[in-house]
Amino acid sequence: MPITLTRLDPTGMDHDDLVDFMTRNEFGFHVRPRLTREEVEAAIARGAYRDEDNDSCWVEHTELGRIGFLRFEDLSEGTPLFDLRLDTPLRGRGLAADVLRAATDHVFTTMDTHRFEGQTREDNIAMRKTFLRCGWLKEAHYREAWPVGGGAPVASVAYAILRRDWETGRTTPLLWEDLTL
Ligand SMILES: CC(C)(COP(=O)(O)OP(=O)(O)OC[C@H]1O[C@@H](n2cnc3c(N)ncnc32)[C@H](O)[C@@H]1OP(=O)(O)O)[C@@H](O)C(=O)NCCC(=O)NCCS
C-alpha cells in the first residue's frame, strides 16, 4: 500500500499547512468550494478538524509525498464518515482508491465499528467511481438534498462498507426494491 495516514495537529505544528492547503485548493463538489483563511481558522478553533467527533490526517504517498487531506467524522456516533480532499495537481490519477483503502483499513483495525460510510454529490463521478472500485455499496440516493450555490440542488449519494465485506473482500449485495405493492 503506497499510502500512509499521518495524524495532523490542527492547532499546533500543522496549523499553517492546513490553512494553506484548504485555501489554495478548490473543492468544487463541496458545499463551500472556496474557503478563506478566516473560515479555516474559525473551523480549526471550533474543533472541526480535531475534537470528539473529528480527527484529521495528512495523506502521504511513498513516491509523491503529501498528496492530500483526510478527515474522519462522526467518531462519537458509532459509524464514522470521512472527507477526502486531494491536492489539485494530484487529482485525475486514480490515487483516491488507495487512500480510501488505507482509510478503511485504519477504521476497521483501530475502531470498534462494523460500518464505514461516505457521502458525495451525484455529479462527483470521480468519488463515486472510487467508492465502487473499493467495493463500497450505494445505500441511498437523497434526491435534491445537496444545495448548490446559484443553481438547482443535486442528489446526495451515500455509500458504505461493512467490516465483514472488508474482511472477506466480497461486497454484500442489497436488494434495493425489497418490498412491492
Ligand atoms: C474526488 C477525488 C478524491 C477523486 O480522486 P482521484 O483518484 O484523483 O479520482 P480520478 O479523477 O482519478 O477518478 C477516479 C475514477 O473516476 C473516473 N472518472 C473521473 N471523472 C469521470 C467522469 N466525469 N466520467 C467518467 N469517469 C470519470 C476516472 O476515470 C477514474 O476511473 P478508474 O478508477 O477506472 O481509473 C478528487 O478528485 C478530489 O480530491 N476532489 C476534491 C474533493 C472531493 O470532491 N472529495 C470527495 C468528497 S468525500
Side-chain angles (χ1 to χ4, degrees), residues 3-148:
I3 300 296
T4 305
L5 302 176
T6 306
R7 189 175 190 228
L8 66 82
D9 179 359
T11 56
M13 63 179 289
D14 295 300
H15 175 275
D16 292 354
D17 284 355
L18 184 57
V19 173
D20 175 61
F21 180 86
M22 288 295 166
T23 53
R24 73 181 151 77
N25 284 294
E26 187 166 331
F27 307 105
F29 295 109
H30 280 73
V31 174
R32 300 190 63 78
R34 275 273 171 206
L35 294 169
T36 64
R37 164 174 284 275
E38 292 70 30
E39 287 169 334
V40 179
E41 289 189 332
I44 291 171
R46 69 171 178 269
Y49 294 97
R50 191 194 284 187
D51 64 5
E52 68 279 10
D53 272 324
N54 300 287
D55 207 0
S56 304
C57 309
W58 294 123
V59 180
E60 317 274 3
H61 188 282
T62 44
E63 284 159 27
L64 300 167
R66 184 178 295 171
I67 63 168
F69 162 91
L70 178 81
R71 173 169 50 194
F72 296 102
E73 303 172 342
D74 281 4
L75 288 169
S76 66
E77 302 284 321
T79 298
L81 276 158
F82 73 91
D83 177 24
L84 169 61
R85 303 171 190 236
L86 296 184
D87 214 347
T88 306
L90 295 158
R91 298 177 192 169
R93 303 186 191 191
L95 295 171
D98 275 337
V99 182
L100 186 54
R101 290 187 191 104
T104 307
D105 289 350
H106 177 78
V107 164
F108 289 131
T109 54
T110 66
M111 300 180 201
D112 181 21
T113 181
H114 60 101
R115 289 172 55 80
F116 183 27
E117 297 178 355
Q119 289 218 15
T120 194
R121 275 170 54 155
E122 63 179 318
D123 51 350
N124 193 346
I125 304 301
M127 192 63 230
R128 293 183 62 188
K129 289 216 171 184
T130 301
F131 280 124
L132 298 178
R133 184 159 292 286
C134 296
W136 289 50
L137 192 75
K138 178 175 151 180
E139 293 185 335
H141 199 106
Y142 299 104
R143 297 171 298 164
E144 301 184 12
W146 198 294
V148 177

